[in-house]
Each structure stands twice: as C-alpha cells, then as structure tokens.
Amino acid sequence: MKKKLLVLFFVFSVIELSAQFPDSLTRVEGDTIWFDARSLTIEGKGWVDTDSTFDRLPLKAKEIIPERVWRLSKNSAGITVSFSTNSKNIFVKWKNNNNTYALPNMPAISVSGIDLYYRASDNSWKYAGTGRPSPTFSSIAVFSAADEYPDKTDYLLYLPLYNGIAKMEIGILKGNEITPANVFDNNLKPIVFYGTSITQGGSASRPGLVHTALIQRQLNAKIVNLGFSGSGKMEIEMAQLISEIDASVYVLDCLWNMTDDLVKERTEHFIRFLRERKPDTPILLVEDSKYNYSSPSERGKILIGIFDKLQKEQMKEIYFLGAQNLLGKDWEGTIDGVHPNDLGFMRHTEEFLRIIKEILKIN
C-alpha cells in the first residue's frame, strides 16, 4: 500500500541528557511512546560482542588493530535499525558519541545525521526523510506519514557515517504498534565491504546514498560496512577478523590507503589468509577509482598482477573490478577529485551491482 510521506524536521538540544535518555527500553512521554533502538532490529554488524551497541568491530579487536581503526570502528557507517509500525508520526531521538559534527568534505547530515526509508507497495525502498543533527549532539527528527491505511509498514533507518550513536530512541503515537522487522533477504549471507574513506561513505550527502546502502536496497541484502577512513590498509589482523563473518562475498577496496610497497607486502597474504579460512567464499578485488581514469595507477598494476597470478594458480572464486567506469567518463563524479559525490556513488553502485549479481548469480 503506497504511502505519501510528509517529512518535518525538528532539532533541539537538551541539558539533562540523563532525563532525555533513561535506562528503560520503553517509556511514555505525553502522547508519545519511546522505544530504545536496542529493542528493535539492528543490522550491519559483523559481530554481536561489541564495546557499544552501534560499534562495527568486536571488543577483542581493540588489542590487535591500529588505534585509529579502533576509533573509526565506533562510527556507525552501514548500521541500520529496522522496524514496522502503523504510527502516522515517527520520532527519532539520538545522541552522537563524539564531537565530529561535520567534515570539510562532508555535510553534517551524512557525518552525524540519519536517513529513513519505507517499504513501498512494490516492495522497493523509498526515501522518507532525513534527520538533521544538532551541533550539541542531541537531536530529534519527526517524520509525518499521510496514510489512509492502518496496516503496518516496514521502515529502515540508516545511522551516521562518520560519527557514532551513544543512544537512540524511536517514538510512536499512543495507540499504535511498533515491532522489530527483519527486512532483508535471509537466504543471502551478508556482503562484506572492507576499504577506505570511500567505503565508509565519503563524500555522500546523506547516509542512505553511499554505494553500500544503495546496493543494499537494490538487492534487499544485508551489508557489513568495514570502511575506515585513511586506514584500510590490509593488516593481517583485519583478515583474521573479517574471516569470522560468514559472508556471501568479501569486497576488498583498499588501494587508496596503501602505498605501492604495502600493496606488494600485504595484499596477496591477506587474500590467501581469507581463502584458507573461507575456501568457497567469493573475493572481489577493486581497483582504485580516479575521476580522470585513463590507465591503472602503479598500485593498481600491482593489484592486477596479483589477481593474474592467483588466477593462473586456479584459485577459485577470485574476481576483479576495474575502475574504468566507477566514476564515469565526464570527470563529474567526485567532490574533491578522490571521494565520490552522490553521482559518483550512483555510478559505483551500477558497477558493483553488475559484478556482484554475476558472482552471486542474481538476475
């Protein structure tokens, strides 16, 4: 049943955060019933034993990975909250966990804000609206749905790309219902993306427009986003961690963060480790994208050489995605010559979907 969504945004700060975010999972405030997001469905995590609910790496990783990677793992890129409700108004209240409100090449909405999507009658995901973050790091967004039908609708909430969530609540009007919702195809194992600031979402205009999110909605698939800005460097400890995820595909897109020497030293070892741990899981290697692509970079040539070597050895389920079309041919696909803008991420999505569908034999 089709919904027409009217979205209103309200952002405010509060002084008493303890009063705003009590410990109970459910509470009533006037005409609104608030539910802690932890009581709903949280997707996009490769592990459950994280330091905080919306972290991306397990607690044990803190002792074995670089400090910067650990810090970035507390950014909630790719993590979603899904639920089903018949409420005509949906309220989302959240507190970011650090003071990174915006970045020089990214707006506050994508860094610290939220995106809401709803399931349309044709089973596709439609944009419902965006929650703008407050500079004081405690924010609220109100989404109003003009809907003559009482049936429950599925919703998908994308969390900040370059900030984290300390606390989040979802509110509905009294007299309505909200339940956790499993909105993705459970027959398809998660697609795991490991990479750089581009994988993490730089520089999408909002959380729902990074290529991993676009691919997720196109395939109705679970996605684990392990993009770490400036820090996707293929440490063998990351291979150990990633191999713990039972994935449908491992996507390795790290070249922008690696020197030629690092590509030589780490890439083949990383791939062989994954293959030993997961002998049947496809591994997709991605060339570094360039807005003015004409030929592979030096590190791209090294990666192509590694791929060719592994193919000659008849390593199974190893794939390569060239960068020729990742950003298009018109030089308009980036915000700064490196990081995709929304157009660039749409083009990324087209290329990734083409090869992922081929790998997974999806029509």
Side-chain angles (χ1 to χ4, degrees), residues 97-115:
N97 66 8
N98 67 59
N99 60 1
T100 306
Y101 176 62
L103 293 170
N105 63 342
M106 292 183 71
I109 285 174
S110 58
V111 172
S112 304
I114 57 173
D115 262 355

Side-chain angles (χ1 to χ4, degrees), residues 10-267:
F10 302 95
V11 179
F12 68 92
S13 61
V14 297
I15 297 175
E16 295 293 337
L17 290 180
S18 60
Q20 186 186 13
F21 293 121
D23 291 333
S24 60
L25 293 178
T26 306
R27 64 186 179 89
V28 179
E29 184 178 77
D31 291 331
T32 305
I33 307 174
W34 291 97
F35 297 82
D36 192 305
R38 293 174 297 175
S39 66
L40 302 172
T41 303
I42 298 172
E43 296 281 11
K45 296 180 60 170
W47 300 265
V48 295
D49 54 338
T50 52
D51 184 32
S52 297
T53 302
F54 302 103
D55 290 356
R56 294 184 291 150
L57 288 178
L59 181 58
K60 64 183 179 183
K62 184 176 183 180
E63 304 303 322
I64 62 173
I65 61 174
E67 188 277 333
R68 178 176 168 82
V69 177
W70 174 251
R71 180 159 40 87
L72 289 167
S73 76
K74 292 186 169 292
N75 296 165
S76 51
I79 297 180
T80 62
V81 178
S82 52
F83 55 90
S84 183
T85 185
N86 59 346
S87 180
K88 290 185 179 293
N89 291 97
I90 299 170
F91 309 86
V92 183
K93 189 180 292 186
W94 75 101
K95 179 179 182 293
N96 294 120
N97 66 8
N98 67 59
N99 60 1
T100 306
Y101 176 62
L103 293 170
N105 63 342
M106 292 183 71
I109 285 174
S110 58
V111 172
S112 304
I114 57 173
D115 262 355
L116 186 67
Y117 284 76
Y118 73 99
R119 179 94 73 184
S121 58
D122 62 0
N123 210 38
S124 66
W125 289 105
K126 301 296 185 184
Y127 174 65
T130 294
R132 307 176 199 171
S134 165
T136 58
F137 311 111
S138 185
S139 313
I140 187 169
V142 182
F143 303 89
S144 250
D147 180 16
E148 64 272 31
Y149 301 105
D151 303 59
K152 280 188 175 181
T153 296
D154 290 340
Y155 290 90
L156 178 62
L157 184 67
Y158 286 96
L159 304 189
L161 296 173
Y162 274 75
N163 208 323
I165 296 293
K167 181 75 175 181
M168 173 173 277
E169 291 179 310
I170 312 296
I172 61 171
L173 296 175
K174 281 184 178 179
N176 293 286
E177 297 179 349
I178 187 171
T179 56
N182 295 312
V183 297
F184 299 121
D185 183 357
N186 288 321
N187 295 317
L188 182 63
K189 296 176 182 179
I191 302 170
V192 177
F193 286 80
Y194 171 51
T196 67
S197 56
I198 295 172
T199 301
Q200 189 172 339
S203 296
S205 65
R206 51 186 178 84
L209 290 182
V210 62
H211 63 307
T212 55
L214 291 163
I215 291 166
Q216 178 173 63
R217 295 195 300 278
Q218 286 286 323
L219 296 180
N220 201 40
K222 297 177 181 179
I223 300 285
V224 176
N225 185 319
L226 297 178
F228 303 104
S229 179
S231 303
K233 298 184 178 181
M234 288 195 178
E235 297 89 355
I236 197 62
E237 292 82 3
M238 286 302 303
Q240 293 169 356
L241 291 168
I242 291 171
S243 69
E244 295 175 359
I245 303 173
D246 188 16
S248 62
V249 183
Y250 296 119
V251 180
L252 307 183
D253 189 4
C254 294
L255 285 197
W256 267 113
N257 288 167
M258 300 178 73
T259 64
D260 297 352
D261 286 342
L262 277 183
V263 177
K264 292 176 185 176
E265 293 168 10
R266 294 181 176 180
T267 303

Side-chain angles (χ1 to χ4, degrees), residues 324-343:
Q324 296 91 332
N325 298 311
L326 283 175
L327 292 170
K329 306 291 189 182
D330 55 12
W331 297 18
E332 299 289 356
T334 73
I335 192 171
D336 54 9
V338 176
H339 297 90
N341 53 25
D342 291 344
L343 175 62

